[in-house]
Amino acid sequence: MEVINTIAALKMLLKPRKLAQQKIALVPTMGALHKGHVSLIKIAQQNADVVVCSIFVNPTQFTDPKDLEKYPRPLQHDIEMLQEAGCDYVFMPAVTEMYPTKENWHIDLGDAEFLLEGEFRRGHYQGVTQIVKKLFDAVEPELAFFGQKDFQQVLMIRHMVAYFKLPIQIVSCPIIREDDGLAMSSRNIHLSSEDRKNALVLSEALKYVQERFEEFTVEDLLKGAETIINEAEGVELDYFTIANGETLLPENNKETPNLVALVAAKVGQTRLIDNMILN
Ligand code: PAF
């Protein structure tokens, strides 16, 4: 596995692979890797000849500077995990490599940009799509792999790819959960042991909805899920919704295809998100 820090070096290394018609996959990350990321690498390996994983804590997607400051950066541990997972190249640029000058980026990501996470974190998806476009330009992959845990992020990236008409296939990979149901996330590291227990209500509420989806109305499902979360200690619900997975608008009709239950809540000082595809 090679670790590369510049776009020029990365392009030079990938050039012969491309000339040999090898399929390149990109797994973009911000580091603080866990088994969820490893699962992305594994799925990428099954679908491509070369897997590049990027580790870059992107400043433009943080709406709270304190969040950026405290974002975990266990680089040595990350490199060891990627080595063990059999990743081919790790791209770890400095901020100045990705943003040599100040840039104003704004593209039309559609109305869904301002819903749910977009409402709580204004500008977040402009920052995400900005860096993902830069990573796509650096790697020029045929495929890129993202976790379904960030359901809305994947949707926004698909919109960015459509906006620029990029020849890149976006693959959303299943959420990896701890044995007790908590969705794996780099942010879980910030949970105290009390928070860690309380955080389980997110996946429990999603499971409640999934298990009763056929028999209950959407209204009753939401009521039940919200009660589970609101009764939990130390958990402050931002939203629990059953939405159309394309528009992210709330949906009452269970016959609508692509329905997804999405939840966000503050557990102690840590904001967590999770979701479950319903049909
Ligand atoms: O999901 C993440 O880790 C980040 O938002 C991404 C896609 C790597 C962009 O910085």
PDB file of all heavy atoms in Angstrom, residues 27-31 37 54-59 61-62 71 121 124-125 127-129 131-132 135 145-147 150 153 157 186, ligand 1:
ATOM      1  N   VAL A  27     -12.708   5.374  -2.398  1.00  0.00           N
ATOM      2  CA  VAL A  27     -13.471   5.382  -1.146  1.00  0.00           C
ATOM      3  C   VAL A  27     -13.056   6.656  -0.391  1.00  0.00           C
ATOM      4  O   VAL A  27     -12.012   6.681   0.260  1.00  0.00           O
ATOM      5  CB  VAL A  27     -13.186   4.115  -0.294  1.00  0.00           C
ATOM      6  CG1 VAL A  27     -13.991   4.163   1.001  1.00  0.00           C
ATOM      7  CG2 VAL A  27     -13.499   2.850  -1.072  1.00  0.00           C
ATOM      8  N   PRO A  28     -13.847   7.715  -0.501  1.00  0.00           N
ATOM      9  CA  PRO A  28     -13.474   8.960   0.201  1.00  0.00           C
ATOM     10  C   PRO A  28     -13.831   8.879   1.683  1.00  0.00           C
ATOM     11  O   PRO A  28     -14.935   8.453   2.029  1.00  0.00           O
ATOM     12  CB  PRO A  28     -14.338  10.037  -0.485  1.00  0.00           C
ATOM     13  CG  PRO A  28     -14.978   9.376  -1.656  1.00  0.00           C
ATOM     14  CD  PRO A  28     -15.026   7.917  -1.353  1.00  0.00           C
ATOM     15  N   THR A  29     -12.906   9.276   2.541  1.00  0.00           N
ATOM     16  CA  THR A  29     -13.190   9.269   3.983  1.00  0.00           C
ATOM     17  C   THR A  29     -12.552  10.505   4.633  1.00  0.00           C
ATOM     18  O   THR A  29     -11.729  11.181   4.015  1.00  0.00           O
ATOM     19  CB  THR A  29     -12.603   8.023   4.709  1.00  0.00           C
ATOM     20  OG1 THR A  29     -11.202   8.237   4.952  1.00  0.00           O
ATOM     21  CG2 THR A  29     -12.795   6.745   3.915  1.00  0.00           C
ATOM     22  N   MET A  30     -12.934  10.717   5.873  1.00  0.00           N
ATOM     23  CA  MET A  30     -12.262  11.756   6.659  1.00  0.00           C
ATOM     24  C   MET A  30     -11.426  11.093   7.758  1.00  0.00           C
ATOM     25  O   MET A  30     -11.108  11.719   8.772  1.00  0.00           O
ATOM     26  CB  MET A  30     -13.282  12.727   7.255  1.00  0.00           C
ATOM     27  CG  MET A  30     -14.039  13.497   6.173  1.00  0.00           C
ATOM     28  SD  MET A  30     -14.614  15.121   6.695  1.00  0.00           S
ATOM     29  CE  MET A  30     -15.717  14.672   8.004  1.00  0.00           C
ATOM     30  N   GLY A  31     -11.101   9.807   7.566  1.00  0.00           N
ATOM     31  CA  GLY A  31     -10.287   9.107   8.559  1.00  0.00           C
ATOM     32  C   GLY A  31     -11.122   8.690   9.757  1.00  0.00           C
ATOM     33  O   GLY A  31     -12.345   8.618   9.686  1.00  0.00           O
ATOM     34  N   HIS A  37     -15.999   1.638   7.341  1.00  0.00           N
ATOM     35  CA  HIS A  37     -15.112   2.033   6.245  1.00  0.00           C
ATOM     36  C   HIS A  37     -14.460   0.801   5.608  1.00  0.00           C
ATOM     37  O   HIS A  37     -14.317   0.718   4.388  1.00  0.00           O
ATOM     38  CB  HIS A  37     -14.004   2.960   6.758  1.00  0.00           C
ATOM     39  CG  HIS A  37     -14.506   4.285   7.260  1.00  0.00           C
ATOM     40  ND1 HIS A  37     -14.511   4.613   8.589  1.00  0.00           N
ATOM     41  CD2 HIS A  37     -15.029   5.351   6.601  1.00  0.00           C
ATOM     42  CE1 HIS A  37     -14.997   5.846   8.738  1.00  0.00           C
ATOM     43  NE2 HIS A  37     -15.330   6.303   7.551  1.00  0.00           N
ATOM     44  N   SER A  54      -9.209   7.887   0.228  1.00  0.00           N
ATOM     45  CA  SER A  54      -8.693   9.200   0.611  1.00  0.00           C
ATOM     46  C   SER A  54      -9.024   9.467   2.078  1.00  0.00           C
ATOM     47  O   SER A  54     -10.090   9.073   2.567  1.00  0.00           O
ATOM     48  CB  SER A  54      -9.278  10.301  -0.274  1.00  0.00           C
ATOM     49  OG  SER A  54     -10.679  10.326  -0.148  1.00  0.00           O
ATOM     50  N   ILE A  55      -8.075  10.095   2.752  1.00  0.00           N
ATOM     51  CA  ILE A  55      -8.299  10.549   4.129  1.00  0.00           C
ATOM     52  C   ILE A  55      -8.052  12.048   4.124  1.00  0.00           C
ATOM     53  O   ILE A  55      -6.928  12.507   3.905  1.00  0.00           O
ATOM     54  CB  ILE A  55      -7.325   9.865   5.118  1.00  0.00           C
ATOM     55  CG1 ILE A  55      -7.555   8.355   5.140  1.00  0.00           C
ATOM     56  CG2 ILE A  55      -7.495  10.454   6.517  1.00  0.00           C
ATOM     57  CD1 ILE A  55      -6.656   7.598   6.119  1.00  0.00           C
ATOM     58  N   PHE A  56      -9.111  12.797   4.315  1.00  0.00           N
ATOM     59  CA  PHE A  56      -8.977  14.260   4.302  1.00  0.00           C
ATOM     60  C   PHE A  56     -10.103  14.856   5.123  1.00  0.00           C
ATOM     61  O   PHE A  56     -11.277  14.660   4.797  1.00  0.00           O
ATOM     62  CB  PHE A  56      -9.027  14.788   2.854  1.00  0.00           C
ATOM     63  CG  PHE A  56      -8.861  16.281   2.767  1.00  0.00           C
ATOM     64  CD1 PHE A  56      -7.642  16.885   3.057  1.00  0.00           C
ATOM     65  CD2 PHE A  56      -9.934  17.091   2.407  1.00  0.00           C
ATOM     66  CE1 PHE A  56      -7.496  18.275   2.997  1.00  0.00           C
ATOM     67  CE2 PHE A  56      -9.788  18.479   2.335  1.00  0.00           C
ATOM     68  CZ  PHE A  56      -8.571  19.071   2.626  1.00  0.00           C
ATOM     69  N   VAL A  57      -9.743  15.526   6.196  1.00  0.00           N
ATOM     70  CA  VAL A  57     -10.761  16.185   7.025  1.00  0.00           C
ATOM     71  C   VAL A  57     -11.050  17.525   6.353  1.00  0.00           C
ATOM     72  O   VAL A  57     -10.243  18.455   6.412  1.00  0.00           O
ATOM     73  CB  VAL A  57     -10.272  16.349   8.484  1.00  0.00           C
ATOM     74  CG1 VAL A  57     -11.378  16.980   9.332  1.00  0.00           C
ATOM     75  CG2 VAL A  57      -9.873  14.999   9.072  1.00  0.00           C
ATOM     76  N   ASN A  58     -12.184  17.563   5.675  1.00  0.00           N
ATOM     77  CA  ASN A  58     -12.474  18.692   4.777  1.00  0.00           C
ATOM     78  C   ASN A  58     -13.052  19.895   5.539  1.00  0.00           C
ATOM     79  O   ASN A  58     -14.202  19.854   5.979  1.00  0.00           O
ATOM     80  CB  ASN A  58     -13.483  18.211   3.729  1.00  0.00           C
ATOM     81  CG  ASN A  58     -13.962  19.348   2.870  1.00  0.00           C
ATOM     82  OD1 ASN A  58     -13.192  20.236   2.517  1.00  0.00           O
ATOM     83  ND2 ASN A  58     -15.245  19.333   2.529  1.00  0.00           N
ATOM     84  N   PRO A  59     -12.277  20.981   5.628  1.00  0.00           N
ATOM     85  CA  PRO A  59     -12.764  22.111   6.439  1.00  0.00           C
ATOM     86  C   PRO A  59     -14.046  22.752   5.905  1.00  0.00           C
ATOM     87  O   PRO A  59     -14.833  23.259   6.696  1.00  0.00           O
ATOM     88  CB  PRO A  59     -11.606  23.118   6.385  1.00  0.00           C
ATOM     89  CG  PRO A  59     -10.677  22.645   5.328  1.00  0.00           C
ATOM     90  CD  PRO A  59     -10.936  21.201   5.080  1.00  0.00           C
ATOM     91  N   GLN A  61     -16.770  21.592   4.886  1.00  0.00           N
ATOM     92  CA  GLN A  61     -18.069  20.981   5.164  1.00  0.00           C
ATOM     93  C   GLN A  61     -18.466  21.089   6.641  1.00  0.00           C
ATOM     94  O   GLN A  61     -19.531  20.617   7.025  1.00  0.00           O
ATOM     95  CB  GLN A  61     -18.105  19.533   4.694  1.00  0.00           C
ATOM     96  CG  GLN A  61     -17.271  18.552   5.515  1.00  0.00           C
ATOM     97  CD  GLN A  61     -17.233  17.192   4.878  1.00  0.00           C
ATOM     98  OE1 GLN A  61     -16.601  16.990   3.845  1.00  0.00           O
ATOM     99  NE2 GLN A  61     -17.913  16.220   5.467  1.00  0.00           N
ATOM    100  N   PHE A  62     -17.588  21.705   7.445  1.00  0.00           N
ATOM    101  CA  PHE A  62     -17.912  21.867   8.870  1.00  0.00           C
ATOM    102  C   PHE A  62     -18.611  23.199   9.077  1.00  0.00           C
ATOM    103  O   PHE A  62     -18.074  24.247   8.702  1.00  0.00           O
ATOM    104  CB  PHE A  62     -16.640  21.799   9.724  1.00  0.00           C
ATOM    105  CG  PHE A  62     -16.107  20.403   9.862  1.00  0.00           C
ATOM    106  CD1 PHE A  62     -15.309  19.841   8.876  1.00  0.00           C
ATOM    107  CD2 PHE A  62     -16.427  19.625  10.973  1.00  0.00           C
ATOM    108  CE1 PHE A  62     -14.837  18.544   8.982  1.00  0.00           C
ATOM    109  CE2 PHE A  62     -15.955  18.328  11.090  1.00  0.00           C
ATOM    110  CZ  PHE A  62     -15.160  17.781  10.092  1.00  0.00           C
ATOM    111  N   TYR A  71     -12.459  16.979  15.522  1.00  0.00           N
ATOM    112  CA  TYR A  71     -12.643  15.781  14.697  1.00  0.00           C
ATOM    113  C   TYR A  71     -11.451  14.836  14.920  1.00  0.00           C
ATOM    114  O   TYR A  71     -10.290  15.257  14.809  1.00  0.00           O
ATOM    115  CB  TYR A  71     -12.773  16.141  13.209  1.00  0.00           C
ATOM    116  CG  TYR A  71     -13.449  15.023  12.451  1.00  0.00           C
ATOM    117  CD1 TYR A  71     -14.840  14.939  12.404  1.00  0.00           C
ATOM    118  CD2 TYR A  71     -12.704  14.010  11.858  1.00  0.00           C
ATOM    119  CE1 TYR A  71     -15.472  13.885  11.776  1.00  0.00           C
ATOM    120  CE2 TYR A  71     -13.331  12.955  11.223  1.00  0.00           C
ATOM    121  CZ  TYR A  71     -14.704  12.900  11.179  1.00  0.00           C
ATOM    122  OH  TYR A  71     -15.326  11.849  10.567  1.00  0.00           O
ATOM    123  N   ARG A 121     -27.553  21.957   9.146  1.00  0.00           N
ATOM    124  CA  ARG A 121     -26.153  22.272   8.848  1.00  0.00           C
ATOM    125  C   ARG A 121     -26.087  22.997   7.505  1.00  0.00           C
ATOM    126  O   ARG A 121     -25.681  22.414   6.503  1.00  0.00           O
ATOM    127  CB  ARG A 121     -25.337  20.982   8.807  1.00  0.00           C
ATOM    128  CG  ARG A 121     -25.451  20.186  10.100  1.00  0.00           C
ATOM    129  CD  ARG A 121     -24.961  18.774   9.929  1.00  0.00           C
ATOM    130  NE  ARG A 121     -23.525  18.702   9.943  1.00  0.00           N
ATOM    131  CZ  ARG A 121     -22.825  17.599   9.680  1.00  0.00           C
ATOM    132  NH1 ARG A 121     -23.437  16.487   9.386  1.00  0.00           N
ATOM    133  NH2 ARG A 121     -21.525  17.608   9.708  1.00  0.00           N
ATOM    134  N   HIS A 124     -23.465  22.659   4.506  1.00  0.00           N
ATOM    135  CA  HIS A 124     -22.692  21.417   4.669  1.00  0.00           C
ATOM    136  C   HIS A 124     -22.528  20.661   3.343  1.00  0.00           C
ATOM    137  O   HIS A 124     -21.429  20.237   2.987  1.00  0.00           O
ATOM    138  CB  HIS A 124     -23.402  20.532   5.704  1.00  0.00           C
ATOM    139  CG  HIS A 124     -22.836  19.171   5.853  1.00  0.00           C
ATOM    140  ND1 HIS A 124     -21.570  18.950   6.352  1.00  0.00           N
ATOM    141  CD2 HIS A 124     -23.349  17.934   5.556  1.00  0.00           C
ATOM    142  CE1 HIS A 124     -21.331  17.644   6.364  1.00  0.00           C
ATOM    143  NE2 HIS A 124     -22.386  17.016   5.890  1.00  0.00           N
ATOM    144  N   TYR A 125     -23.612  20.532   2.591  1.00  0.00           N
ATOM    145  CA  TYR A 125     -23.535  19.721   1.358  1.00  0.00           C
ATOM    146  C   TYR A 125     -22.827  20.442   0.224  1.00  0.00           C
ATOM    147  O   TYR A 125     -22.359  19.794  -0.718  1.00  0.00           O
ATOM    148  CB  TYR A 125     -24.925  19.221   0.955  1.00  0.00           C
ATOM    149  CG  TYR A 125     -25.400  18.196   1.953  1.00  0.00           C
ATOM    150  CD1 TYR A 125     -26.476  18.442   2.786  1.00  0.00           C
ATOM    151  CD2 TYR A 125     -24.694  17.008   2.120  1.00  0.00           C
ATOM    152  CE1 TYR A 125     -26.854  17.527   3.747  1.00  0.00           C
ATOM    153  CE2 TYR A 125     -25.057  16.093   3.075  1.00  0.00           C
ATOM    154  CZ  TYR A 125     -26.141  16.349   3.883  1.00  0.00           C
ATOM    155  OH  TYR A 125     -26.481  15.438   4.841  1.00  0.00           O
ATOM    156  N   GLY A 127     -20.052  22.063   0.873  1.00  0.00           N
ATOM    157  CA  GLY A 127     -18.680  21.678   1.244  1.00  0.00           C
ATOM    158  C   GLY A 127     -18.378  20.233   0.898  1.00  0.00           C
ATOM    159  O   GLY A 127     -17.301  19.914   0.371  1.00  0.00           O
ATOM    160  N   VAL A 128     -19.343  19.346   1.161  1.00  0.00           N
ATOM    161  CA  VAL A 128     -19.134  17.916   0.860  1.00  0.00           C
ATOM    162  C   VAL A 128     -18.950  17.714  -0.642  1.00  0.00           C
ATOM    163  O   VAL A 128     -17.996  17.065  -1.093  1.00  0.00           O
ATOM    164  CB  VAL A 128     -20.322  17.057   1.368  1.00  0.00           C
ATOM    165  CG1 VAL A 128     -20.243  15.638   0.818  1.00  0.00           C
ATOM    166  CG2 VAL A 128     -20.365  17.025   2.879  1.00  0.00           C
ATOM    167  N   THR A 129     -19.855  18.298  -1.433  1.00  0.00           N
ATOM    168  CA  THR A 129     -19.775  18.059  -2.882  1.00  0.00           C
ATOM    169  C   THR A 129     -18.541  18.745  -3.479  1.00  0.00           C
ATOM    170  O   THR A 129     -17.953  18.248  -4.434  1.00  0.00           O
ATOM    171  CB  THR A 129     -21.056  18.520  -3.601  1.00  0.00           C
ATOM    172  OG1 THR A 129     -21.366  19.863  -3.210  1.00  0.00           O
ATOM    173  CG2 THR A 129     -22.231  17.616  -3.271  1.00  0.00           C
ATOM    174  N   ILE A 131     -15.532  19.033  -2.036  1.00  0.00           N
ATOM    175  CA  ILE A 131     -14.336  18.196  -1.854  1.00  0.00           C
ATOM    176  C   ILE A 131     -14.458  16.888  -2.643  1.00  0.00           C
ATOM    177  O   ILE A 131     -13.471  16.408  -3.209  1.00  0.00           O
ATOM    178  CB  ILE A 131     -14.018  17.928  -0.362  1.00  0.00           C
ATOM    179  CG1 ILE A 131     -12.640  17.290  -0.219  1.00  0.00           C
ATOM    180  CG2 ILE A 131     -15.052  17.054   0.305  1.00  0.00           C
ATOM    181  CD1 ILE A 131     -11.500  18.105  -0.722  1.00  0.00           C
ATOM    182  N   VAL A 132     -15.662  16.345  -2.715  1.00  0.00           N
ATOM    183  CA  VAL A 132     -15.804  15.079  -3.449  1.00  0.00           C
ATOM    184  C   VAL A 132     -15.507  15.322  -4.938  1.00  0.00           C
ATOM    185  O   VAL A 132     -14.835  14.512  -5.585  1.00  0.00           O
ATOM    186  CB  VAL A 132     -17.196  14.443  -3.219  1.00  0.00           C
ATOM    187  CG1 VAL A 132     -17.416  13.253  -4.122  1.00  0.00           C
ATOM    188  CG2 VAL A 132     -17.333  14.010  -1.756  1.00  0.00           C
ATOM    189  N   LEU A 135     -11.807  15.412  -5.247  1.00  0.00           N
ATOM    190  CA  LEU A 135     -11.236  14.060  -5.138  1.00  0.00           C
ATOM    191  C   LEU A 135     -11.497  13.269  -6.419  1.00  0.00           C
ATOM    192  O   LEU A 135     -10.639  12.526  -6.899  1.00  0.00           O
ATOM    193  CB  LEU A 135     -11.812  13.332  -3.916  1.00  0.00           C
ATOM    194  CG  LEU A 135     -11.395  13.927  -2.558  1.00  0.00           C
ATOM    195  CD1 LEU A 135     -12.246  13.349  -1.429  1.00  0.00           C
ATOM    196  CD2 LEU A 135      -9.917  13.667  -2.277  1.00  0.00           C
ATOM    197  N   PHE A 145     -17.451   4.737  -3.616  1.00  0.00           N
ATOM    198  CA  PHE A 145     -18.237   4.011  -2.611  1.00  0.00           C
ATOM    199  C   PHE A 145     -18.462   4.878  -1.370  1.00  0.00           C
ATOM    200  O   PHE A 145     -17.513   5.460  -0.832  1.00  0.00           O
ATOM    201  CB  PHE A 145     -17.505   2.715  -2.231  1.00  0.00           C
ATOM    202  CG  PHE A 145     -17.427   1.759  -3.395  1.00  0.00           C
ATOM    203  CD1 PHE A 145     -16.460   1.923  -4.378  1.00  0.00           C
ATOM    204  CD2 PHE A 145     -18.346   0.742  -3.533  1.00  0.00           C
ATOM    205  CE1 PHE A 145     -16.412   1.071  -5.475  1.00  0.00           C
ATOM    206  CE2 PHE A 145     -18.306  -0.112  -4.628  1.00  0.00           C
ATOM    207  CZ  PHE A 145     -17.337   0.054  -5.604  1.00  0.00           C
ATOM    208  N   PHE A 146     -19.721   4.926  -0.949  1.00  0.00           N
ATOM    209  CA  PHE A 146     -20.099   5.721   0.222  1.00  0.00           C
ATOM    210  C   PHE A 146     -21.013   4.877   1.113  1.00  0.00           C
ATOM    211  O   PHE A 146     -21.700   3.983   0.625  1.00  0.00           O
ATOM    212  CB  PHE A 146     -20.860   6.982  -0.208  1.00  0.00           C
ATOM    213  CG  PHE A 146     -20.029   7.916  -1.057  1.00  0.00           C
ATOM    214  CD1 PHE A 146     -19.982   7.758  -2.438  1.00  0.00           C
ATOM    215  CD2 PHE A 146     -19.282   8.933  -0.467  1.00  0.00           C
ATOM    216  CE1 PHE A 146     -19.203   8.602  -3.219  1.00  0.00           C
ATOM    217  CE2 PHE A 146     -18.508   9.781  -1.245  1.00  0.00           C
ATOM    218  CZ  PHE A 146     -18.472   9.620  -2.627  1.00  0.00           C
ATOM    219  N   GLY A 147     -21.057   5.214   2.390  1.00  0.00           N
ATOM    220  CA  GLY A 147     -21.914   4.479   3.322  1.00  0.00           C
ATOM    221  C   GLY A 147     -23.340   5.024   3.288  1.00  0.00           C
ATOM    222  O   GLY A 147     -23.551   6.241   3.265  1.00  0.00           O
ATOM    223  N   ASP A 150     -24.886   7.862   5.704  1.00  0.00           N
ATOM    224  CA  ASP A 150     -25.051   9.268   5.301  1.00  0.00           C
ATOM    225  C   ASP A 150     -25.947   9.301   4.067  1.00  0.00           C
ATOM    226  O   ASP A 150     -25.514   9.684   2.967  1.00  0.00           O
ATOM    227  CB  ASP A 150     -23.687   9.887   5.032  1.00  0.00           C
ATOM    228  CG  ASP A 150     -22.859   9.965   6.296  1.00  0.00           C
ATOM    229  OD1 ASP A 150     -23.315  10.581   7.255  1.00  0.00           O
ATOM    230  OD2 ASP A 150     -21.778   9.354   6.325  1.00  0.00           O
ATOM    231  N   GLN A 153     -26.195  12.523   2.216  1.00  0.00           N
ATOM    232  CA  GLN A 153     -24.923  12.855   1.565  1.00  0.00           C
ATOM    233  C   GLN A 153     -24.817  12.131   0.221  1.00  0.00           C
ATOM    234  O   GLN A 153     -24.409  12.721  -0.794  1.00  0.00           O
ATOM    235  CB  GLN A 153     -23.769  12.447   2.475  1.00  0.00           C
ATOM    236  CG  GLN A 153     -22.418  12.434   1.804  1.00  0.00           C
ATOM    237  CD  GLN A 153     -21.268  12.316   2.781  1.00  0.00           C
ATOM    238  OE1 GLN A 153     -20.914  13.274   3.440  1.00  0.00           O
ATOM    239  NE2 GLN A 153     -20.672  11.135   2.884  1.00  0.00           N
ATOM    240  N   ILE A 157     -24.396  13.819  -3.419  1.00  0.00           N
ATOM    241  CA  ILE A 157     -23.260  13.489  -4.298  1.00  0.00           C
ATOM    242  C   ILE A 157     -23.782  13.025  -5.661  1.00  0.00           C
ATOM    243  O   ILE A 157     -23.240  13.392  -6.702  1.00  0.00           O
ATOM    244  CB  ILE A 157     -22.322  12.463  -3.625  1.00  0.00           C
ATOM    245  CG1 ILE A 157     -21.601  13.156  -2.456  1.00  0.00           C
ATOM    246  CG2 ILE A 157     -21.313  11.884  -4.615  1.00  0.00           C
ATOM    247  CD1 ILE A 157     -20.875  12.237  -1.512  1.00  0.00           C
ATOM    248  N   SER A 186     -17.649   7.590  13.018  1.00  0.00           N
ATOM    249  CA  SER A 186     -16.419   8.145  13.613  1.00  0.00           C
ATOM    250  C   SER A 186     -16.761   8.991  14.830  1.00  0.00           C
ATOM    251  O   SER A 186     -15.924   9.224  15.694  1.00  0.00           O
ATOM    252  CB  SER A 186     -15.680   8.998  12.587  1.00  0.00           C
ATOM    253  OG  SER A 186     -15.458   8.249  11.422  1.00  0.00           O
TER     254      SER A 186
HETATM  255  O1  PAF B   1     -18.563  11.002   4.683  1.00  0.00           O
HETATM  256  C1  PAF B   1     -17.449  11.546   4.807  1.00  0.00           C
HETATM  257  O2  PAF B   1     -16.538  11.034   5.471  1.00  0.00           O
HETATM  258  C2  PAF B   1     -17.206  12.895   4.137  1.00  0.00           C
HETATM  259  O3  PAF B   1     -18.338  13.686   4.148  1.00  0.00           O
HETATM  260  C3  PAF B   1     -16.621  12.768   2.716  1.00  0.00           C
HETATM  261  C4  PAF B   1     -17.594  12.095   1.771  1.00  0.00           C
HETATM  262  C5  PAF B   1     -15.325  11.968   2.750  1.00  0.00           C
HETATM  263  C6  PAF B   1     -16.316  14.158   2.170  1.00  0.00           C
HETATM  264  O4  PAF B   1     -15.417  14.837   2.976  1.00  0.00           O
END
